[in-house]
Amino acid sequence: MMIKKQLILTFIICIWGSISFAQTESEFANLYIKESHIEEQLPTLAELQEKAIQNSPRLKINDADIIIAKQQLLRQKRDWQNYIGLEGGAKYGLFDNLVLTQELGTEAVSTATTEQSRYYIGAYLKLPMASIFDKSNVKIAKAENQRVLNSKIENTNTIKQLVVTQYYNIVRAHRSVILRVNAVESYRIQMIRAKLDFENSIIPISEYARLNDMLIKALISLEESKVEYEVAIHLLEQTIGEKIELKTLEN
């Protein structure tokens, strides 16, 4: 009989500990209830998407690829300039020159070799037929330019969709916390009433234990929801590249 009383006393102490812990959770619950309108505290979806686009390393890589592709396209379009140009040079040595002489009314042409420097300059035009009719390099450059542009558009849409998903993951996780806070509060009140009923022998110890088990499960679910909420916040912060500052609601 003495052993049974000790077991009951130990059980009551454990139950009272659970109630005390639930009261601590109740204080924590008040914080969440004050922030029940999480959508009003978060930045708007448009603001979050804009920040994610501005800070996205993937889109910065796309921007660099676009610049490179544009330069390659311009280079291919200017390729014809390689076939037009100016050339010049200088030579020094012995050169034969024509000499016109007049003697006694007659003209004679002869050559004379002299040491001299000669300079020349002129334009040239090359017409390689294959290059004129083959525009494949330009087409490839255009296709590459369009590919990187489309890649940026696709990545931008993907980031926007990711922000939407993560935003509503926060909303869902926060609502889950509120629901579980309410469940803990409900079980906490039931446990206070059940303690009195148990002390007055109105309910058996099995009913008391059942309610305590439900309270513990509710507390565990609440902790899991809190973690899920914090993870959802951190994931969105990583996507937008900066910390999220929740707005303070006026009472």
Side-chain angles (χ1 to χ4, degrees):
M1 188 70 172
M2 190 66 170
I3 296 174
K4 184 176 180 181
K5 288 183 178 180
Q6 289 177 345
L7 290 174
I8 292 174
L9 181 60
T10 302
F11 181 77
I12 291 173
I13 291 173
C14 293
I15 296 297
W16 183 253
S18 298
I19 294 175
S20 299
F21 181 59
Q23 289 173 336
T24 303
E25 288 296 329
S26 177
E27 296 173 358
F28 171 81
N30 292 333
L31 297 176
Y32 270 95
I33 291 173
K34 289 179 182 179
E35 300 175 355
S36 58
H37 302 287
I38 192 65
E39 298 95 324
E40 298 177 13
Q41 293 183 273
L42 287 169
T44 65
L45 265 174
E47 292 172 341
L48 292 169
Q49 288 174 334
E50 183 179 356
K51 290 179 181 179
I53 290 171
Q54 289 176 350
N55 299 327
S56 171
R58 183 184 301 177
L59 294 182
K60 286 182 171 63
I61 293 174
N62 287 149
D63 289 336
D65 289 340
I66 289 172
I67 293 173
I68 293 172
K70 285 182 177 179
Q71 292 302 316
Q72 288 177 340
L73 179 57
L74 290 174
R75 184 173 62 83
Q76 293 298 332
K77 287 183 175 180
R78 291 195 301 262
D79 191 51
W80 61 270
Q81 296 177 358
N82 295 330
Y83 309 120
I84 300 176
L86 295 173
E87 62 180 0
K91 292 183 179 181
Y92 177 80
L94 297 175
F95 297 92
D96 293 331
N97 298 293
L98 292 176
V99 178
L100 178 63
T101 59
Q102 291 183 345
E103 292 184 1
L104 301 175
T106 61
E107 294 181 352
V109 178
S110 61
T111 60
T113 301
T114 59
E115 186 176 351
Q116 59 183 261
S117 297
R118 287 187 175 182
Y119 303 92
Y120 66 92
I121 186 171
Y124 68 86
L125 173 63
K126 298 178 182 179
L127 295 176
M129 302 304 292
S131 299
I132 293 175
F133 295 104
D134 184 7
K135 300 297 182 182
S136 59
N137 289 339
V138 175
K139 292 180 180 179
I140 291 172
K142 286 183 177 179
E144 177 63 17
N145 185 58
Q146 190 61 48
R147 185 190 69 81
V148 294
L149 288 173
N150 290 338
S151 178
K152 181 177 181 180
I153 293 173
E154 181 182 7
N155 289 334
T156 300
N157 290 335
T158 299
I159 290 173
K160 286 183 177 180
Q161 293 169 7
L162 179 61
V163 170
V164 171
T165 299
Q166 292 178 338
Y167 176 90
Y168 284 105
N169 282 343
I170 293 174
V171 174
R172 178 179 57 81
H174 188 269
R175 289 176 181 172
S176 178
V177 169
I178 298 300
L179 290 174
R180 282 165 172 73
V181 162
N182 292 334
V184 168
E185 280 291 287
S186 175
Y187 286 124
R188 185 183 68 83
I189 294 171
Q190 290 183 55
M191 284 300 300
I192 293 174
R193 176 60 184 271
K195 179 179 179 296
L196 295 175
D197 290 345
F198 176 73
E199 290 174 348
N200 294 325
S201 301
I202 297 176
I203 61 172
I205 192 171
S206 58
E207 177 63 14
Y208 197 89
R210 185 185 69 83
L211 290 173
N212 181 68
D213 183 61
M214 294 176 70
L215 173 60
I216 292 173
K217 289 180 178 178
L219 289 170
I220 292 173
S221 295
L222 175 57
E223 289 301 313
E224 291 175 348
S225 294
K226 285 161 57 180
V227 171
E228 182 182 356
Y229 171 73
E230 294 297 331
V231 169
I233 288 283
H234 289 311
L235 288 176
L236 183 55
E237 287 177 340
Q238 287 184 352
T239 300
I240 67 173
E242 59 184 72
K243 186 174 178 59
I244 295 175
E245 298 293 340
L246 296 179
K247 301 172 187 176
T248 302
L249 295 179
E250 297 180 359
N251 295 328

